[in-house]
Amino acid sequence: MKNIYDYSLEQLTEYFASIKQKPFRAKQVFSWLYQKDARSFDDMSDLSKDLRNQLKVEFSLDVLKIKEKQVSRDGTIKYLFELLDGSLIESVLMIHDYGKSLCVTSQIGCNMKCTFCASGLLRKQRDLTPGEIVAQIIKVQQDIDQRVSHVVVMGTGEPFDNYDNVMEFVRIINHPHGLAIGARHITISTCGLIKGIKRYSEEGIQTNLAISLHAANDEIRDELMPINKVHPMDDLREAISEYIDKTNRRVTFEYIMLKGVNDDIVYARQLAHYLRGLNAYVNLIPYNSVDEHGYQPSDKETVEIFKNELLRLHINVTLRKEHGRDIDGACGQLRAKRSGVK
Ligand code: SAH
């Protein structure tokens, strides 16, 4: 059975041509899927019964099951989904004053082996298809009966290690006949795969880029993120600088504050030096402890000092508000538990 959400409007149009149907059928189906909230092909009342039956045989639009749902005191909702093949993935919905933001998963497991992250507790089993990422948004919208306005590809997985599927996903949700989520409301977060950053520079799309930096020098970054041994920080900086030149977009640098590891004021100065001249801002992230890894979140005062030093050095910085700390909010935590790794 094919996942209907894997199809772009162009691909659906080709499909309808191949079964000798009018091309505008594709637009009709797209609008049922993304604007009129169809839950089954039978809902698509402007298609003939025969056509609906034919679609039912070939396509599924029920590709995710909610296995578990945790609601945090701050309104954050964490979903554990089961895919058609039985795999488990997570999505996290965060409520902001500017809208509802969904953090989606892009791979089952992850191969990047960052030492502080729960996702890597399970090696990558496979990439998600575009439609499996799209369906995370659809399912959540149906569950809360409201629109998701912002999407961050920051769940389990490395999006640039699944580049084509992730970009196809972005085009489907950004399409005016699709979910029509504005490009500026879509962010892809990478641990720094340079080939991906280069390709992303060429997409000609106004989506955002976030870089998981988490350290201000190669020595510490090597320790936290093995990818740094392949792409050291100088190379990464060059790729990001080219990205900014080409796209004119501001880049977010994520920096998890880890007690006694990367939170000394000296590193704030190194970080400021690294970012000098880049159109960038830093998002300091409170660490969600993962029992296996032994890292601790930095103290509030240490974070304040670090932040103020960046401000003093004229680096734009925000402190990420914590969401869902009481519900295993960090990437892969719930899934790892339910899969028996934790
Ligand atoms: N692979 C991509 C996207 C997934 S990780 C990337 O590296 O950006 C999404 C973000 O969550 C990254 O910045 C990651 O470093 C961070 N993260 C992972 N584990 C965390 C934890 N336990 N607490 C806080 N942030 C975490």
Side-chain angles (χ1 to χ4, degrees), residues 116-118 153-155 157-159 189-191 212 214 254 256 285-288 290 330-331 333:
F116 49 82
C117 177
V153 187
M154 252 186 221
E158 168 46 47
S189 176
T190 179
C191 64
S212 293
H214 308 327
E254 291 156 305
I256 298 179
I285 305 175
Y287 181 58
N288 262 309
V290 177
C331 323
Q333 287 189 337

Side-chain angles (χ1 to χ4, degrees), residues 82-253:
E82 186 178 280
L83 298 169
L84 289 177
D85 69 356
S87 305
L88 300 175
I89 57 167
E90 294 172 25
S91 316
V92 181
L93 182 78
M94 288 158 288
I95 319 291
H96 299 287
D97 40 12
Y98 54 80
K100 302 209 161 43
S101 167
L102 189 69
C103 175
V104 295
T105 283
S106 60
Q107 296 180 315
I108 301 178
C110 183
N111 275 343
M112 297 299 125
K113 304 193 180 93
C114 298
T115 55
F116 49 82
C117 177
S119 300
L121 292 171
L122 300 162
R123 287 283 90 86
K124 180 176 103 172
Q125 288 154 20
R126 67 174 176 85
D127 291 326
L128 290 191
T129 69
E132 286 171 328
I133 315 177
V134 174
Q136 295 171 48
I137 305 177
I138 301 285
K139 263 286 173 212
V140 168
Q141 291 194 152
Q142 290 174 351
D143 186 57
I144 60 172
D145 205 18
Q146 286 178 61
R147 192 169 176 266
V148 167
S149 56
H150 292 67
V151 172
V152 291
V153 187
M154 252 186 221
T156 300
E158 168 46 47
F160 284 168
D161 182 40
N162 183 17
Y163 190 91
D164 292 323
N165 288 350
V166 167
M167 286 316 294
E168 196 56 36
F169 153 76
V170 167
R171 282 186 281 268
I172 292 171
I173 64 167
N174 176 237
H175 199 286
H177 295 296
L179 288 173
I181 297 175
R184 286 162 191 266
H185 289 184
I186 302 171
T187 300
I188 298 184
S189 176
T190 179
C191 64
L193 298 187
I194 285 183
K195 233 172 87 191
I197 297 170
K198 292 205 152 122
R199 285 183 72 186
Y200 196 53
S201 317
E202 309 283 349
E203 293 287 348
I205 190 167
Q206 297 291 305
T207 46
N208 306 301
L209 176 66
I211 304 284
S212 293
L213 196 66
H214 308 327
N217 63 51
D218 279 321
E219 201 188 333
I220 298 176
R221 200 165 190 269
D222 276 352
E223 208 180 287
L224 296 176
M225 306 178 69
I227 190 65
N228 198 63
K229 296 190 184 125
V230 185
H231 303 306
M233 287 179 68
D234 280 349
D235 297 356
L236 180 61
R237 192 185 184 287
E238 198 179 303
I240 295 166
S241 173
E242 274 172 29
Y243 168 86
I244 295 171
D245 285 348
K246 282 203 179 124
T247 61
N248 246 324
R249 306 286 298 151
R250 187 158 83 150
V251 171
T252 307
F253 284 86

